[in-house]
Amino acid sequence: MTADEYREIMETELAWRQEEYAFFKNQLDNMPDSRRDRYRKGLIMILQEHLEGYLLICLHTYIQYINGQQLTGRDVSLRFLAACMQQGSHSGSRQVPSAGIHKMECGTRFRFSAADDMYGFYRQVDWIEQAEAFKGQALQLDDQIVDQIFGRGYADLQKTLYCLGLPVDLFDAYQKDLDALASYSSAVARGIFRSGVTRQEMDEWESKALGAASGVMRLLYEYVNHEKYRIRNDKQQSYYLESQSQI
């Protein structure tokens, strides 16, 4: 799959959802004006579910795109590498030890807590050792991770982005609209807005949903088209490596 093919899939996905939504919206034309506000409430929930479904498909397809690039640990940014390590893609990697009693190689047993500086240091050392082992491995993202984490609300979306090695602030420009629509749709489902939704309000929600969907598509396309998942294109990591070499 190429970056352009990925974008085409997202465009096709968005198009059929817009068409289906328009069908349900057009049913209001067959109702008296006095009842239209009441039944627009249902459109809010349809709009939210379509937006959520669209985001899921975009991320699932991103995984398919990435897994088709045959990347190794040497190719990718630390963010991406960490995501693969977190998913346990490397069957030979050992688990990072939890807090408690541990045995050093010399045989001495010691105890430390999660708040202990030694514990944090141990985790960092262990992560570096595992990262080195991963650099020679072919990397694959787990397609199930999206369904396991993704939920309603921007916080869950950020968790999903993190687990896919994507910047957690990638969609920050749409956080307010995504959270607002999810909250409003939930309120409608609970019967809070029984009076209904006006045409002006509906137009505003549609604009926010379409803006978020189009924005997500653009950002994901730019991310893969410029191969920002690769270490050479990760500006933040490149700056870090450059600064380290000057020390």
Side-chain angles (χ1 to χ4, degrees), residues 59 62-63 77-87 123 127 141 145-146 149-150 154-171 223:
L59 294 176
Y62 170 79
I63 294 175
S77 65
L78 287 176
R79 181 191 298 111
F80 188 97
L81 184 62
C84 291
M85 291 172 63
Q86 182 68 23
Q87 293 176 31
R123 288 180 61 91
W127 190 92
L141 290 172
I145 197 69
V146 175
I149 300 178
F150 191 90
Y154 192 73
D156 285 337
L157 177 57
Q158 285 187 304
K159 293 177 186 177
T160 308
L161 294 177
Y162 174 80
C163 289
L164 296 181
L166 288 162
V168 295
D169 60 351
L170 186 61
F171 304 143
Y223 195 85

Side-chain angles (χ1 to χ4, degrees), residues 6 9 20 42 51 62 70 82 84 88 104 108 116 118-119 122 163 189 192 195 207 230 243:
Y6 175 39
I9 290 174
E20 184 170 289
L51 179 58
Y62 170 79
Q70 299 180 341
C84 291
M104 300 179 68
T108 304
D116 198 317
M118 184 63 180
Y119 178 67
Y122 189 98
C163 289
I192 294 177
S195 59
S207 177
R230 291 186 181 272
S243 64

Side-chain angles (χ1 to χ4, degrees), residues 75-77 79 223-238:
D75 300 323
V76 300
S77 65
R79 181 191 298 111
Y223 195 85
V224 301
N225 191 44
H226 295 291
E227 297 186 327
K228 294 182 180 180
Y229 49 84
R230 291 186 181 272
I231 187 171
R232 66 174 183 266
N233 297 326
D234 189 319
K235 294 182 179 180
Q236 183 176 3
Q237 186 171 334
S238 297

Side-chain angles (χ1 to χ4, degrees), residues 62-70 139-143:
Y62 170 79
I63 294 175
Q64 295 173 19
Y65 169 84
I66 287 295
N67 288 346
Q69 303 307 303
Q70 299 180 341
L139 302 181
Q140 292 279 303
L141 290 172
D142 184 0
D143 188 63

Side-chain angles (χ1 to χ4, degrees), residues 77-146:
S77 65
L78 287 176
R79 181 191 298 111
F80 188 97
L81 184 62
C84 291
M85 291 172 63
Q86 182 68 23
Q87 293 176 31
S89 300
H90 181 42
S91 59
S93 64
R94 67 184 186 277
Q95 297 295 319
V96 176
S98 59
I101 298 177
H102 298 274
K103 187 175 181 180
M104 300 179 68
E105 292 183 1
C106 62
T108 304
R109 295 173 65 85
F110 64 98
R111 178 188 295 274
F112 53 77
S113 68
D116 198 317
D117 289 341
M118 184 63 180
Y119 178 67
F121 175 73
Y122 189 98
R123 288 180 61 91
Q124 292 178 37
V125 171
D126 196 77
W127 190 92
I128 292 172
E129 291 176 348
Q130 291 189 53
E132 287 300 316
F134 261 79
K135 287 183 178 180
Q137 301 293 323
L139 302 181
Q140 292 279 303
L141 290 172
D142 184 0
D143 188 63
Q144 297 180 353
I145 197 69
V146 175

Side-chain angles (χ1 to χ4, degrees), residues 41-57:
K41 294 185 300 181
L43 290 177
I44 289 288
M45 291 184 285
I46 293 174
L47 190 65
Q48 166 60 25
E49 292 303 316
H50 266 309
L51 179 58
E52 186 175 312
Y54 177 72
L55 294 176
L56 273 171
I57 293 297

